[in-house]
Amino acid sequence: MSTIRRCFVHVIIVGLAANLPAWPLAGQGVPIGAADIAGAVTGPNGPEAGVWVIAETHDLPTKFVRIVVTDDQGRYLIPDLPKATYTVWVRGYGLVDSPSTQATPGKPLNLTAVPAPNPRAAAEYYPAGYWFSLMRVPDKREFAAATSTGADETHSAPAVKSQAEWLRIMKSGGCWSCHQLGSKGTREIPAALGSFPSSVAAWQRRLQSGQAGAQMMGTVSQLGAQRAFAMFADWTDRIAAGEVPPTPPRPQGVERNVVITEWDWADPKAYLHDEVSTDRRDPTINAHGSLYGSLELSADYLPVLDPARNAAGRVPLTVRDPNTAPAAGSQMLQPSAYWGSELIWTSQANVHNPMLDERGRVWLTATVRPPDNPAFCKAGSSHPSAQLFPLNRAGRHLAMYDPKTGKLTHISTCFSTHHLMFAEDANRTLWTSGGGPVVGWLNTKLFDETGDEEKSQGWTALILDTNGNGKRDPYVEPDQPVDPTKDKRITAGFYAVAPAPDGSIWATSLYFPGAVVRLNPGSHPPETALAELYELPLTPSGEPVEGFSPRGGDVDRNGVYWTALASGHLASFDRRKCKGPLNGPKATGQHCPEGWTFYPEPLPQLQGVTTPGSAEASYYTWVDQFGALGLGTNLPIDTGNGSEGLLVLKDGKWIVLRVPYPMGFYTKWMDGRIDDAKGGWKGRGLWATVSTRAPFHMEGGKGTTSKVLHFQLRPDPLAR
């Protein structure tokens, strides 16, 4: 329940028979079904268009929320509500929350919007990215001065050569990759931290808090600690003094057609990374079925949601070797303002990413043993991949859960894993990212037939065809110059793995300016795989042409790769546009600038940044290859972590599917499922989860749990 609203009235909805007639909305001619709540929202100046109407109940097996948007006449219709006790209220830009009011499904309910008394009250409902845009980041000139004079960290980050590199650390490599900056929990200093002589001192203490304290202090040292602390302090001081961000636009057009349904799952001490609802290759798999989540380093169970019964559950997780250490460790520099000295993250399995296969089984990147590899992974092994590139350690491996049998299978891999995704091939190959110098895979067809984890897995180094002969040859190492008679191994990383329909495997490389990598496995991947590297384009002086530093990405059915950038862009890379050779001694990254297209995301830009882009810090891009949302196929969708919603790019224009309640929506992944291809808008939709590492920063504070969210688009705001 909102912590901002001051009036909270339970609404008792009586059980209604399904055969009751539909009443017209008084004076508006909108039919209302027996399970609907509908009416009109008005304010002092008449109808309130583009505001949200929220219905919430605690009476089902897990908390349930459904949210809709008013049309241009202020009318709304919340369809298909389960029988329960609800509270209903209005939230919107320019308003404060209306009092909760009673409602009975099947009868009109008109609501009165409450105008915000001042800009500060109105701004309390703005997404985190708008507040983040008030931050004054170091000017480009600071980095130029530091480079020329060798200035210390009081002026800039000593190892960072440009503002763009600095932004990459904060927006893609550090802070924003775990949680928002700009949520109420971050733009204010928690009173529980104590009293401090200055805001700088408060920030120094704050970033040491909890199990992530050492990691946060490591990030701020990369940013130049003293300069960064001064920046954060200035930001929160100005906000405390009354500064507010620009007003976001209210939902327009198709944005008003959205129906968002939310369920609670997991627990307040755990955080989600991803969820999965269906098979990426066929979104009709697991229709109407349960969803599964991954709790990363926080807890050892899979959260499960059964949306048909509005019920949440758990699948216990185990490791093969009980000596496997908890992933989060026990170090704590300072107690948390929320949890004190309690170690709330305890997972050994450290599940990061789930995927469903064609049988509805859940495949996971999961730790199953300590990191030292068995002999078959190492030098001297007869394993084909080990003979070419032996591996001594792997930090995370694979597992598979079968809901039909309830069995969890551990799969020890020689390579480390992070993300995973199935290819569309006869072997049902499961490709992974996170292998460091290699890319690893599992032949799941062979594994199902034999149960042999050793024979079923393989991995390859990333080798560029720099001699240009179209095949893999002896290569020079990453620290050696290009030899036009040989190939070249690279250590570009391989993040956000995405198999394409043509058999190639794509991923991002997380550095500055960053790159996308295309892997062609060939006929025998350990020996034949060749990589292509396409960096974000730079000017001759080393500045980004426009965007820089990708994070998560995905490929469409045409082989175009889409990725979210730290610069506040969505970018596409189409290798069909490349004018020069795709291999050879010059094909080492900066050889196809013409393949890139940039789309600035819809947030204001940060203060102190004059280059294109925005304050947005989307974690991932997912492509709706099969039209699960209902807006067409091959639509790229960003996670919109600053916008607190999903950002859909259609015909070059943004559609913002904002989540207004609870404030603080932050997801790292989504997928689309088609439950009924003939069922209209009700038969399809996108699924996402709240993925912040700090759910206690969200509206509701300590005790707030992650949510599962279902985004659906009806043909108009009043469709049933």
Side-chain angles (χ1 to χ4, degrees):
M1 177 53 78
S2 170
T3 57
I4 293 173
R5 289 180 294 116
R6 295 294 180 263
C7 183
F8 182 94
V9 180
H10 283 291
V11 178
I12 300 175
I13 295 180
V14 219
L16 296 173
N19 59 357
L20 283 181
W23 288 272
L25 185 61
Q28 304 295 337
V30 178
I32 305 173
D36 306 333
I37 296 177
V41 178
T42 55
N45 299 316
E48 291 282 357
V51 298
W52 295 281
V53 181
I54 304 165
E56 176 183 64
T57 182
H58 294 260
D59 288 356
L60 300 173
T62 193
K63 191 174 85 170
F64 175 95
V65 176
R66 184 157 287 161
I67 303 170
V68 299
V69 188
T70 59
D71 70 1
D72 58 357
Q73 299 178 51
R75 301 174 299 178
Y76 75 93
L77 188 147
I78 309 175
D80 299 332
L81 288 165
K83 295 178 182 179
T85 298
Y86 288 88
T87 58
V88 182
W89 73 96
V90 178
R91 174 172 287 187
Y93 299 138
L95 309 175
V96 296
D97 278 357
S98 69
S100 300
T101 190
Q102 292 187 344
T104 302
K107 295 181 180 179
L109 172 66
N110 295 326
L111 299 166
T112 302
V114 181
N118 53 61
R120 181 55 180 261
E124 292 293 331
Y125 301 91
Y126 296 173
Y130 281 82
W131 290 96
F132 176 58
S133 73
L134 297 178
M135 192 173 290
R136 293 173 179 160
V137 305
D139 189 271
K140 283 185 177 181
R141 292 169 295 184
E142 291 190 43
F143 297 94
T147 300
S148 62
T149 65
D152 64 19
E153 65 173 11
T154 62
H155 297 91
S156 65
V160 179
K161 297 181 176 62
S162 69
Q163 185 189 68
E165 292 181 69
W166 193 94
L167 290 171
R168 184 205 74 82
I169 296 169
M170 184 166 66
K171 295 176 68 180
S172 180
C175 312
W176 272 94
S177 62
C178 293
H179 59 75
Q180 292 171 332
L181 284 173
S183 60
K184 194 172 183 68
T186 56
R187 67 178 183 259
E188 298 176 358
I189 302 295
L193 276 182
S195 298
F196 302 93
S198 68
S199 295
V200 167
W203 272 97
Q204 289 171 336
R205 167 63 179 82
R206 177 184 213 165
L207 293 191
Q208 298 179 58
S209 301
Q211 286 173 272
Q215 182 180 349
M216 290 191 288
M217 291 300 291
T219 297
V220 82
S221 71
Q222 294 180 59
L223 296 171
Q226 293 186 44
R227 179 64 180 87
F229 285 133
M231 178 197 68
F232 289 130
D234 170 72
W235 178 56
T236 51
D237 284 348
R238 286 187 288 115
I239 289 172
E243 188 169 344
V244 297
T247 304
R250 287 185 176 183
Q252 302 287 334
V254 72
E255 296 171 348
R256 296 181 179 177
N257 299 349
V258 70
V259 178
I260 299 173
T261 308
E262 301 175 5
W263 297 263
D264 275 16
W265 67 346
D267 69 84
K269 296 179 183 179
Y271 73 87
L272 269 288
H273 196 279
D274 298 318
E275 56 70 36
V276 67
S277 71
T278 188
D279 185 342
R280 169 68 163 151
R281 301 161 296 178
D282 180 358
T284 66
I285 297 294
N286 194 40
H288 302 287
S290 293
L291 286 84
Y292 301 86
S294 56
L295 295 180
E296 203 175 22
L297 49 72
S298 58
D300 275 336
Y301 63 88
L302 296 179
V304 183
L305 175 77
D306 181 347
R309 296 191 305 111
N310 301 303
R314 302 180 181 187
V315 173
L317 292 171
T318 60
V319 293
R320 179 182 292 178
D321 186 337
N323 293 317
T324 304
S330 58
Q331 181 183 23
M332 188 178 295
L333 302 179
Q334 293 283 355
S336 163
Y338 301 90
W339 303 102
S341 298
E342 181 182 0
L343 297 175
I344 61 171
W345 298 338
T346 59
S347 174
Q348 293 174 288
N350 195 18
V351 170
H352 185 267
N353 189 208
M355 285 288 159
L356 257 62
D357 68 8
E358 69 284 351
R359 292 160 56 180
R361 298 178 299 179
V362 189
W363 294 80
L364 309 161
T365 52
T367 303
V368 306
R369 57 167 174 82
D372 287 339
N373 277 344
F376 82 84
C377 307
K378 300 178 181 180
S381 167
S382 61
H383 191 285
S385 295
Q387 289 182 326
L388 293 169
F389 204 95
L391 296 171
N392 293 325
R393 291 169 66 85
R396 188 189 278 123
H397 319 98
L398 292 171
M400 185 266 288
Y401 170 71
D402 189 343
K404 293 180 180 178
T405 64
K407 181 182 178 182
L408 178 71
T409 301
H410 300 124
I411 305 167
S412 173
T413 59
C414 300
F415 49 89
S416 292
T417 66
H418 199 65
H419 293 104
L420 73 173
M421 193 176 282
F422 283 98
E424 301 175 25
D425 61 3
N427 290 327
R428 306 192 299 274
T429 306
L430 184 63
W431 289 88
T432 71
S433 69
V438 302
V439 178
W441 63 87
L442 185 77
N443 181 333
T444 63
K445 179 177 182 291
L446 181 61
F447 184 76
D448 283 339
E449 293 170 349
T450 66
D452 191 325
E453 65 186 16
E454 179 177 338
K455 291 182 178 179
S456 301
Q457 66 178 279
W459 61 93
T460 180
L462 291 171
I463 310 297
L464 300 181
D465 181 20
T466 46
N467 66 12
N469 66 359
K471 63 185 182 70
R472 183 151 149 180
D473 298 303
Y475 52 81
V476 298
E477 293 295 339
D479 59 350
Q480 297 174 323
V482 171
D483 181 340
T485 67
K486 296 182 179 180
D487 292 339
K488 181 175 178 60
R489 184 170 76 87
I490 58 174
T491 54
F494 203 78
Y495 182 85
V497 61
D502 67 357
S504 62
I505 316 299
W506 290 80
T508 54
S509 190
L510 309 184
Y511 60 91
F512 179 84
V516 296
V517 183
R518 180 182 186 267
L519 183 70
N520 180 4
S523 58
H524 187 244
E527 298 176 352
T528 59
L530 284 171
E532 299 167 7
L533 180 74
Y534 301 99
E535 291 182 328
L536 276 293
L538 297 174
T539 66
S541 64
E543 289 289 323
V545 169
E546 185 164 356
F548 55 87
S549 297
R551 185 79 194 189
D554 197 7
V555 67
D556 68 20
R557 303 300 297 178
N558 299 316
V560 177
Y561 193 82
W562 298 82
T563 179
L565 303 181
S567 52
H569 292 84
L570 169 66
S572 66
F573 180 77
D574 188 347
R575 72 193 286 269
R576 297 171 299 182
K577 296 180 179 180
C578 296
K579 297 177 181 178
L582 301 182
N583 51 35
K586 295 183 179 180
T588 56
Q590 288 286 316
H591 57 293
C592 185
E594 61 273 12
W596 290 96
T597 305
F598 301 97
Y599 305 88
E601 293 171 298
L603 275 184
Q605 183 57 284
L606 287 157
Q607 295 187 13
V609 180
T610 58
T611 50
S614 72
E616 184 59 86
S618 288
Y619 187 91
Y620 222 100
T621 301
W622 179 82
V623 176
D624 187 0
Q625 294 185 356
F626 301 103
L629 183 59
L631 285 177
T633 58
N634 277 337
L635 290 185
I637 306 175
D638 274 355
T639 51
N641 299 80
S643 300
E644 299 191 8
L646 304 182
L647 306 179
V648 184
L649 186 71
K650 181 173 174 59
D651 301 325
K653 297 181 179 179
W654 290 106
I655 298 169
V656 181
L657 304 181
R658 165 84 201 281
V659 179
Y661 173 78
M663 287 180 290
F665 173 70
Y666 172 106
T667 192
K668 293 184 174 179
W669 172 255
M670 72 199 83
D671 66 351
R673 188 170 76 188
I674 300 174
D675 294 318
D676 181 358
K678 299 180 180 179
W681 71 271
K682 293 185 180 181
R684 60 184 62 233
L686 303 182
W687 294 91
T689 185
V690 171
S691 303
T692 174
R693 286 196 182 190
F696 36 86
H697 287 173
M698 296 176 64
E699 180 178 358
K702 183 179 178 180
T704 302
T705 70
S706 179
K707 326 287 178 188
V708 177
L709 296 96
H710 195 201
F711 297 79
Q712 296 176 287
L713 283 179
R714 45 189 176 176
D716 63 75
L718 302 177
R720 296 182 56 229

